[in-house]
């Protein structure tokens, strides 16, 4: 699937904020936990989440996205993309299922936060530019 750079950035950041909230013992909101992190910690978390989410998002099938809507995928399409990108982990059967379930959750979170697709022909450029 072709996503814009902005869409991928928003998706990975949203998934990273969920992971950041899960790391805090008192279960803070994702935004609060994110703001409490240092910039280097945010970078490391974005890198780790991005390495899990981005390959799956790129492996998703191409779908036609109408302006004003978000791309939508079936659970089967997402699961197939996860299995394809995860490959042979060398883990046992149970650990492999856990890894698939964790990556599915991350990808679903990322996809849920994608911004609405804009119509490129309807963009209005101000005269000041």
């Amino acid at each position: 699937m072709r996503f814009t750079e902005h869409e991928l950035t928003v998706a990975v950041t949203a998934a990273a904020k969920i992971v950041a909230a899960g790391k805090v013992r008192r279960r803070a909101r994702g935004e609060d936990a994110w703001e409490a992190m240092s910039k280097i910690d945010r970078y490391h978390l974005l890198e780790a989440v991005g390495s899990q989410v981005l390959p799956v998002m790129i492996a998703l099938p191409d779908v036609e996205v109408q302006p004003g809507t978000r791309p939508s995928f079936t659970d089967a399409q997402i699961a197939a993309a996860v299995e394809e990108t995860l490959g042979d982990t060398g883990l046992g059967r149970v650990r492999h299922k856990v890894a698939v379930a964790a990556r599915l959750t991350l990808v679903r979170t990322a996809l849920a936060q994608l911004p609405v697709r804009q119509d490129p022909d309807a963009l209005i450029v101000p005269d000041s530019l």
Side-chain angles (χ1 to χ4, degrees):
M1 174 71 195
R2 292 182 183 213
F3 293 101
T4 65
E5 182 179 349
H6 174 68
E7 289 172 331
L8 291 173
T9 302
V10 168
V12 171
T13 303
K17 286 180 181 180
I18 297 297
V19 171
K23 289 178 125 181
V24 178
R25 293 189 196 275
R26 56 184 170 85
R27 297 286 184 204
R29 281 189 28 236
E31 196 66 38
D32 294 339
W34 183 256
E35 293 299 323
M37 295 175 72
S38 68
K39 288 183 180 183
I40 192 68
D41 289 338
R42 287 183 197 172
Y43 169 78
H44 289 299
L45 186 58
L46 283 171
E47 180 188 16
V49 171
S51 69
Q52 300 293 311
V53 172
L54 290 176
V56 177
M57 291 183 70
I58 301 302
L60 288 169
D62 287 334
V63 295
E64 189 66 32
V65 181
Q66 298 300 321
T69 63
R70 291 180 174 91
S72 61
F73 302 95
T74 65
D75 287 339
Q77 289 172 323
I78 298 170
V82 167
E83 287 286 348
E84 175 186 325
T85 57
L86 194 58
D88 183 26
T89 58
L91 301 173
R93 190 179 47 144
V94 174
R95 287 187 180 182
H96 180 77
K97 283 187 177 187
V98 170
V100 168
R103 194 170 290 187
L104 271 171
T105 302
L106 271 177
V107 172
R108 284 185 185 135
T109 301
L111 289 173
Q113 298 301 317
L114 283 175
V116 173
R117 193 60 70 89
Q118 301 294 320
D119 183 9
D121 296 330
L123 291 177
I124 298 172
V125 179
D127 292 334
S128 62
L129 293 178

